[in-house]
Amino acid sequence: MQDNERPRERASGRDSSAAGADEAASRTALDADELVVGYPTTDEPVIDGQTLAVPEGEVTALIGPNGSGKSTLLKGLANRLEPDDGRVLLDGRHVDSFDSKELARKLGRLSQQNTAPDTISVEELVERGRYPHRGFFESQTESDERAVDEAIAMAGVEHLRDREVGTLSGGQTQLVWIAMALAQDTDVLLLDEPTTFLDPHHQLEVMEIVEALRDDSQITVVLVLHDIAQAARYADNVVALRDGSVYARGPPETVITRPLLAEVFDIEATVIETDYGPQVVPIEPLGDDEAV
């Protein structure tokens, strides 16, 4: 395993030399300790005894081939799958000790599959993100309205506010779901493949939202990405998984390397250093005996 915890100096201009930066970098929002997670339908765990610390106020990207355990790890961190062993701590507290609403005020998760009635309006869907902050019979408050307005504005879907969700394109719908997650107003946000199936324009919109959450709101973001270039450009930390294990972790420039791409993704590739992080140029697939 490769393991490098050196903080990354980002082109976004965050001042890592500011007072308290070293102390802030040492804090973690989520900690997985010897985590074992699987599914009732499988004999063996998908994630088997993995330890991971997610730095507070940073973006951490989980990368790896299909079936490597990225989404399963995310579900384990979100307490959506009960671990067979190990523990997950949120701000130093066992994640399963929170009741559902309390947890939803601290941690938000957007999955790959999201469904809503086609006839619900964008504004109504985003308002659903406020449920952890209200009692069952309480009506929407000024604080709720402000949070919804801010979420819609940040996601760039103000022009869609009165549209029915069923009339939106795939990219527009994804932005609306992200707006709902933003309205939840949590300290930690977990996103499972938020850019998959989106065109380049909407992919960039989503990643700019992630960047703004970190830079403007100091929200901790953990997201699963298939696009290695996105992970290299926008993430402070990259965690590469292979067969349910953490193969490497650290800043993008130390993780996204030719040897890792061969070992984890089974591809021969060239890695080019740019102002936007390492860029990967795939060349050819590798057989098992060719990986280096």
Side-chain angles (χ1 to χ4, degrees), residues 11 22 28 53 76 102 141 193 236 283:
D22 290 340
T28 57
E102 186 184 14
T141 66
E193 300 187 22
D236 302 284
I283 298 173

Side-chain angles (χ1 to χ4, degrees), residues 4 24 49 51 80 108-109 113 139-140 142 188 261:
N4 191 316
T51 295
R80 296 299 181 96
R109 172 179 170 268
Q113 293 86 28
S139 58
Q140 187 164 270
E142 289 185 7
V188 179
L261 295 168

